[in-house]
């Protein structure tokens, strides 16, 4: 144990993390908060169980590289194109205004300009790992505020590398002349650009050769080699390890093998990310926190309030409704994991003293620890603020809106809403659309759709689209909390309206029915229904039986699929026990063609009966033994499912075989 102290420290770290996370799970405390708590407990200012903190920092560096590599793997140029407005406008405004506000506050407190700008860098960044994890768990990443959060976080991730490069310049460690900065930054970017172009052309060839070996392990080893090798290359050019890892991830993401690489690398990323957050907790000095508790609380509260107000204002200025603006502000109001990396760089070059570093670390850790709880409370906060803050909504372009009746109201102009609108238009049924995304509204209006921009969780907007006179309401948005609220308000405003809701998860079904929905379409179970339909078709279950089962499942709110496993199995066995009727077409090369039914002896050999043979639009019911089967005949078979399956195989191949039902 004394020969390999890092191994002992690593075992202690993992053991402590396991115990703390289990306790946090029982207390419903997020895992990432648990990792921070673990670091605080086992760190030098806690129980001091780790003897070599510097070694843990090295592992944490690998965590950062793994995080950036994984972000690059999951990065898509097409995805960036879809959220380009959030990325370019939202991200740049957030970074610029947050940095500027922080600089102004720091200057007012007496700090120098260089240090004030560096403080701005630290405050600008939010936690990608923390925020995406929680909004992903809430199934809100495809909502308007989810897309905004992704866009702003991506922009922040791009800023990390320039911030790290500029930090030594701000400290005066590197010559700060414009020419030097231009040569260092521009030259490095040029070299990296050349490497990127060359690697982008070579990478598919290399990965293809790796995949052709059929050895799964070599794909993982090769991907890690590419990621770490690129990280070393960028570091040798005086850029960060993180930049190289990110570039490598993007390069691999452009290949067709990226999904497999992501699946294989994900466990490594999660392990190193956990170590990274634990290492952050280990850096925190509890003695400093207790000695300056008031200052730490004030600092953390000020950080959250500053970012909340700025980001909420920016999103509101981008013409998003109040609820979206406030939710985005709450989601991004903490300090990010890359700020800790940047703070270490600032400490090394003298922009932060030990006291400032500990003050920042304590406040930042506190903002991260309270973020999950703030996100949980965000729906209540936003709905409360809706009553106070001014709202923005626009009317649909419809001259006869005062007289419209018996129409369909569609909430959400995503794929589902757009498809429903297209069908309604073709059938002549009038409808109105409500959408929260400005880009979707613009797209709908270009297509001539009667679409209103606004937040459908507000009664005023539902009244504006004449919900009381509508016949059907369809709610198809990726925001579970807002969906439940819309259903409740719609039912209160119009007791007679028929409400259809699309949801992603089964857990939401009962609550939506309780809120007043008439029909809830769960994507999880619709997929399950389609799967079992294909299975039953393979066993030649009659179509009317399959359709009846589909209707029963939907009418019962998918209750059969949610029942005890034995009950479901019993239900399926009852179906399979019934007889089946199916049709077999005799092909030109079928071995049974030209033979009589007596020669084939289908009933005795397979157990299935031939009821009818259809030939050239002539129907031969109950054909005799001398009836000759010809190519092109349609043979109607009846019997048990196993018997029909055997008969199909016999007619197709001229020999008997065990059926899948018997197997």
């Amino acid at each position: 144990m004394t020969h390999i102290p890092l191994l002992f420290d690593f075992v202690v770290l993992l053991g402590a993390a396991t115990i703390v996370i289990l306790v946090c799970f029982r207390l419903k405390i997020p895992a990432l908060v648990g990792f921070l708590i673990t670091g605080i407990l086992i760190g030098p200012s806690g129980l001091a169980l780790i003897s070599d903190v510097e070694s843990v920092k090295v592992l944490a560096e690998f965590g950062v590289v793994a995080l950036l590599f994984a972000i690059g793997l999951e990065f898509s140029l097409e995805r960036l194109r879809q959220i380009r407005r959030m990325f370019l406008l939202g991200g740049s405004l957030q970074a610029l205004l947050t940095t500027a506000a922080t600089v102004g506050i720091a200057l007012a407190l007496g700090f120098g300009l260089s240090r004030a700008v560096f403080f701005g860098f630290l405050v600008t960044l939010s936690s990608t790992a923390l925020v995406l994890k929680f909004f992903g768990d809430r199934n809100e990443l495809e909502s308007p505020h989810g897309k905004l959060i992704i866009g702003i976080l991506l922009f922040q991730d791009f800023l990390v590398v320039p911030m790290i490069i500029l930090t030594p310049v701000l400290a005066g460690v590197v010559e700060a002349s414009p020419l030097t900065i231009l040569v260092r930054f521009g030259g490095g970017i040029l070299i990296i650009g050349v490497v990127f172009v060359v690697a982008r052309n070579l990478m598919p060839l290399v990965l293809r050769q790796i995949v052709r070996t059929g050895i799964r392990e070599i794909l993982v080893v090769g991907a890690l080699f590419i990621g770490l090798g690129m990280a070393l290359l960028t570091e040798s050019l005086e850029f960060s390890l993180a930049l190289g890892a990110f570039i490598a991830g993007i390069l691999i993401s452009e290949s067709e093998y990226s999904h497999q690489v992501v699946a294989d690398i994900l466990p490594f990323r999660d392990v190193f990310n956990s170590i990274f957050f634990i290492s952050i907790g280990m850096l925190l000095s509890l003695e400093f926190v207790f000695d300056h508790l008031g200052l730490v609380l004030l600092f953390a509260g000020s950080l959250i309030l500053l970012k909340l107000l700025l980001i909420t204002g920016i999103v509101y200025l981008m013409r998003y409704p109040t609820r979206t603006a406030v939710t985005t502000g709450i989601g991004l109001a903490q300090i990010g994991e890359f700020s800790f990396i940047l703070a270490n760089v600032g400490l090394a070059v003298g922009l932060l003293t030990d006291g400032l570093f500990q003050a920042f670390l304590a406040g930042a850790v506190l903002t991260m620890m309270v973020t999950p709880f703030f996100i949980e409370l965000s729906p209540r906060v936003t709905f409360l603020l809706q009553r106070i803050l001014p709202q923005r909504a626009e009317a649909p372009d419809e001259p006869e809106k005062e007289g419209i009746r018996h129409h369909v109201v569609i909430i959400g102009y995503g794929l589902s809403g757009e498809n429903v609108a297209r069908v309604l238009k073709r059938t002549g049924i009038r409808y109105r659309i409500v959408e929260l995304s400005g880009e979707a509204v613009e797209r709908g209006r270009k297509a001539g759709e009667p679409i209103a921009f606004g937040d459908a969780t507000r009664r005023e907007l539902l009244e504006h689209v004449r919900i009381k006179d509508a016949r059907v309401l369809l709610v198809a948005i990726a925001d579970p909390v807002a969906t439940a609220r819309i259903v409740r308000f719609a039912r209160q405003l119009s007791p007679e309206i028929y409400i259809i809701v699309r949801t992603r998860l089964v857990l939401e079904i009962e609550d939506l029915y309780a809120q007043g929905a008439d029909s809830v379409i769960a994507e999880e179970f619709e997929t399950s229904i389609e799967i079992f339909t294909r299975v039953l078709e393979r066993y030649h279950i009659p179509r009317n039986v399959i359709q009846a089962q589909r209707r029963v499942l939907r009418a019962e709110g998918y209750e059969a699929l949610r029942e005890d496993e034995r009950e479901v199995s019993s239900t399926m066995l009852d179906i399979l026990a019934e007889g089946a009727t199916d049709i077999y077409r005799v092909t030109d090369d079928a071995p049974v063609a030209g033979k009589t039914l007596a020669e084939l002896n289908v009933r005795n050999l397979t157990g299935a009966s031939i009821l009818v043979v259809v030939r050239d639009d002539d129907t031969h019911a109950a054909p005799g033994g001398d009836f000759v089967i010809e190519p092109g005949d349609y043979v109607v078979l009846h019997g048990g499912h196993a018997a029909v399956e055997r008969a199909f195989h016999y007619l197709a191949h001229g020999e008997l075989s065990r059926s899948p039902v018997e197997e």
Side-chain angles (χ1 to χ4, degrees):
M1 183 168 61
T2 56
H3 296 292
I4 43 177
L6 177 59
L7 178 58
F8 175 76
D9 291 342
F10 195 49
V11 171
V12 170
L13 184 149
L14 295 178
T18 302
I19 295 171
V20 173
I21 296 305
L22 286 174
V23 174
C24 289
F25 174 76
R26 295 289 184 184
L27 299 176
K28 296 185 178 181
I29 298 174
L32 291 182
V33 176
F35 290 131
L36 292 170
I37 295 173
T38 302
I40 295 171
L41 290 176
I42 66 177
S45 65
L47 301 175
L49 299 178
I50 300 294
S51 59
D52 191 356
V53 178
E54 292 301 320
S55 297
V56 176
K57 288 183 181 179
V58 172
L59 292 175
E61 286 281 349
F62 277 101
V64 176
V65 171
L67 177 62
L68 264 293
F69 185 49
I71 289 174
L73 284 172
E74 296 170 352
F75 183 80
S76 167
L77 296 177
E78 173 59 25
R79 188 181 186 186
L80 180 60
R81 187 193 66 80
Q82 294 175 355
I83 60 172
R84 59 188 181 276
R85 183 169 179 265
M86 296 84 159
F87 176 82
L88 294 173
L89 182 58
S92 59
L93 282 175
Q94 185 271 330
L96 181 63
L97 295 180
T98 303
T99 302
T102 306
V103 169
I105 294 171
L107 290 175
L109 293 174
F111 291 99
L113 180 60
S114 295
R115 187 167 283 175
V117 173
F118 180 69
F119 290 166
F121 289 173
L122 294 176
V123 175
T124 293
L125 302 176
S126 302
S127 177
T128 301
L130 192 67
V131 176
L132 294 188
K133 164 71 175 172
F134 282 96
F135 279 103
D137 290 344
R138 292 164 60 89
N139 297 299
E140 294 180 20
L141 290 180
E142 294 301 318
S143 65
H145 60 263
K147 292 178 179 178
L148 269 164
I149 286 170
I150 292 173
I152 294 173
L153 285 173
L154 270 178
F155 192 87
Q156 291 179 2
D157 291 340
F158 272 101
L159 288 179
V160 172
V161 174
M163 287 177 176
I164 292 175
I165 293 171
L166 290 174
T167 296
V169 175
L170 291 172
V173 175
V174 176
E175 186 181 348
S177 69
L179 180 61
T180 302
I181 297 174
L182 180 63
V183 171
R184 181 171 181 266
F185 191 70
I189 290 293
L190 179 62
I191 295 173
I192 291 173
V194 172
V195 171
F196 183 87
V197 172
V198 173
R200 189 176 185 183
N201 291 304
L202 291 178
M203 195 73 68
L205 300 176
V206 174
L207 290 175
R208 194 172 295 117
Q209 294 303 316
I210 290 175
V211 171
R212 282 180 178 175
T213 65
I215 304 173
R216 179 178 177 179
E217 290 81 359
I218 197 173
L219 182 61
V220 181
V221 172
L224 287 174
F225 166 74
I226 293 168
L228 296 177
M230 189 67 75
L232 286 175
L233 176 61
T234 54
E235 187 190 38
S236 68
L237 296 172
E238 298 186 356
F239 285 81
S240 69
L241 290 167
L243 175 63
F246 181 66
I247 291 174
I250 291 178
L251 289 171
I252 295 177
S253 74
E254 294 294 301
S255 73
E256 66 255 52
Y257 312 112
S258 61
H259 297 295
Q260 184 60 48
V261 174
V262 170
D264 291 334
I265 295 297
L266 207 57
F268 294 96
R269 184 198 69 175
D270 292 340
V271 170
F272 284 120
N273 284 352
S274 303
I275 295 172
F276 173 74
F277 283 103
I278 292 172
S279 71
I280 295 303
M282 292 172 63
L283 294 175
L284 184 65
S285 171
L286 289 179
E287 183 181 356
F288 179 88
V289 173
F290 291 142
D291 290 343
H292 305 85
L293 185 59
L295 176 64
V296 170
L297 292 175
L298 177 63
F299 179 56
S302 300
L303 286 175
I304 292 173
L305 184 61
L306 175 66
K307 296 190 73 172
L308 172 61
L309 293 176
L310 284 173
I311 296 171
T312 299
I314 289 167
V315 176
Y316 191 78
L317 289 174
M318 291 174 66
R319 300 193 62 77
Y320 282 91
T322 303
R323 184 168 62 86
T324 302
V326 175
T327 304
T328 306
I330 291 174
L332 298 176
Q334 75 293 128
I335 300 299
E337 53 270 8
F338 291 120
S339 294
F340 298 119
I341 302 168
L342 199 58
N344 275 311
V345 176
L347 181 64
V349 297
L351 282 174
L352 289 180
T353 63
D354 288 337
L356 285 174
F357 179 78
Q358 282 298 328
F360 170 75
L361 193 65
V365 168
L366 187 56
T367 66
M368 296 182 74
M369 293 180 72
V370 300
T371 291
F373 306 104
F374 282 0
I375 292 176
E376 287 293 332
L377 291 173
S378 61
R380 299 178 185 177
V381 175
T382 53
F383 291 135
L384 177 64
L385 290 177
Q386 278 183 329
R387 303 175 182 176
I388 303 172
L389 299 178
Q391 302 299 314
R392 178 186 293 121
E394 299 176 11
D397 300 325
E398 176 57 48
E400 57 171 2
K401 59 180 180 295
E402 294 302 325
I404 187 171
R405 294 177 61 84
H406 307 305
H407 56 293
V408 178
V409 175
I410 302 172
I411 309 297
Y413 193 61
L415 181 61
S416 299
E418 189 172 357
N419 287 335
V420 170
R422 185 180 298 114
V423 172
L424 293 176
K425 181 182 291 186
R426 289 174 179 171
T427 54
I429 298 174
R430 293 195 292 182
Y431 58 93
R432 296 294 175 267
I433 306 169
V434 179
E435 172 57 54
L436 197 55
S437 167
E439 293 181 350
V441 171
E442 183 178 348
R443 185 179 76 251
R445 287 183 173 171
K446 286 182 179 178
E449 299 287 6
I451 186 168
F453 170 76
D455 186 354
T457 63
R458 293 189 57 80
R459 295 173 182 267
E460 296 87 347
L461 193 60
L462 292 176
E463 291 174 347
H464 178 77
V465 293
R466 303 185 69 82
I467 194 74
K468 295 179 181 179
D469 297 322
R471 181 172 293 177
V472 177
L473 169 67
L474 167 64
V475 186
I477 58 177
D479 188 337
V481 177
T483 296
R485 190 177 177 89
I486 292 168
V487 171
R488 183 169 69 254
F489 284 171
R491 179 58 67 209
Q492 292 172 357
L493 292 170
S494 180
E496 303 300 323
I497 193 171
Y498 190 85
I499 301 176
I500 304 172
V501 184
R502 186 212 69 187
T503 183
R504 294 177 182 271
L505 302 176
V506 59
L507 297 175
E508 300 165 5
I509 293 177
E510 292 182 3
D511 180 60
L512 289 169
Y513 278 123
Q515 298 295 340
D518 293 291
S519 177
V520 180
I521 301 171
E523 293 180 3
E524 282 185 330
F525 281 154
E526 285 301 317
T527 302
S528 300
I529 287 174
E530 288 304 316
I531 290 173
F532 90 64
T533 296
R534 301 296 191 275
V535 172
L536 296 184
E537 286 175 347
R538 176 68 180 86
Y539 285 97
H540 306 288
I541 304 295
R543 291 186 180 276
N544 64 311
V545 175
I546 296 175
Q547 292 299 328
Q549 290 303 313
R550 292 166 67 105
R551 286 194 298 270
V552 168
L553 286 173
R554 290 188 176 120
E556 295 176 351
Y558 311 100
E559 190 63 37
L561 289 178
R562 290 184 282 167
E563 288 176 352
D564 181 271
E565 183 177 317
R566 290 170 298 176
E567 295 179 7
V568 175
S569 301
S570 173
T571 303
M572 293 302 176
L573 289 175
D574 289 343
I575 298 173
L576 292 174
E578 297 181 14
T581 302
D582 214 330
I583 301 174
Y584 174 80
R585 183 182 184 278
V586 181
T587 59
D588 293 338
D589 57 350
V592 298
K595 294 183 179 182
T596 65
L597 294 182
E599 292 174 324
L600 294 175
N601 196 18
V602 173
R603 179 176 177 78
N604 289 332
L605 292 177
T606 68
S609 301
I610 296 178
L611 301 179
V612 176
V613 177
V614 179
R615 178 183 299 161
D616 298 328
D617 296 330
D618 292 330
T619 301
H620 303 272
D626 58 348
F627 187 89
V628 179
I629 296 296
E630 296 181 359
D633 285 352
Y634 289 90
V635 180
V636 180
L637 297 160
H638 178 74
H641 305 293
V644 171
E645 185 70 23
R646 282 194 299 269
F648 262 68
H649 189 277
Y650 178 51
L651 294 175
H653 302 286
E655 59 183 13
L656 294 173
S657 173
R658 292 180 66 196
S659 75
V661 175
E662 296 173 308
E663 298 173 1

